[in-house]
Amino acid sequence: MVEKLFKVVAYTGFAIPATVLVTNTSLFKSKVILEYKGETIELENSPKSLMDIMLLNIRPEDHFTIRTDGIDANDSLKSIEISLSNLGLECL
């Protein structure tokens, strides 16, 4: 299992990053878990995962953790890191 901490630095909302996270789950076999303020969500490529993320109400300056576990965990996390960085999120 590998994990990274991210910080939301853009002030444009979290809908697009949430969509990117959900979409990324379909590209790899590894399990992807988002943790925010003690809440954890196992992400899947589904509308339910997107709604679960949005219900967390992640805001600018907030931190959250992404964990990946599986055969391609490192590749999955790297892909997520690149995608989220392109959207204005900072990997810590």
Side-chain angles (χ1 to χ4, degrees):
M1 181 181 298
V2 291
E3 67 179 52
K4 288 202 182 222
L5 181 66
F6 292 87
K7 178 181 178 184
V8 181
V9 292
Y11 289 90
T12 58
F14 202 70
I16 293 173
T19 302
V20 167
L21 280 170
V22 169
T23 302
N24 255 297
T25 62
S26 68
L27 302 175
F28 299 92
K29 296 184 186 295
S30 293
K31 180 167 51 170
V32 178
I33 298 169
L34 182 148
E35 182 178 333
Y36 175 71
K37 293 186 177 180
E39 299 274 340
T40 59
I41 299 172
E42 185 175 338
L43 303 178
E44 299 172 354
N45 189 14
S46 72
K48 182 185 179 321
S49 284
L50 184 57
M51 291 305 298
D52 288 344
I53 295 170
M54 296 307 295
L55 287 172
L56 291 175
N57 202 25
I58 299 172
R59 299 284 184 201
E61 302 301 317
D62 284 350
H63 295 80
F64 63 93
T65 301
I66 298 290
R67 290 187 183 89
T68 57
D69 187 25
I71 191 165
D72 54 3
N74 288 323
D75 293 336
S76 176
L77 191 57
K78 186 64 175 173
S79 174
I80 290 169
E81 179 182 352
I82 290 167
S83 296
L84 293 181
S85 293
N86 290 338
L87 295 173
L89 280 77
E90 186 177 296
C91 180
L92 304 175

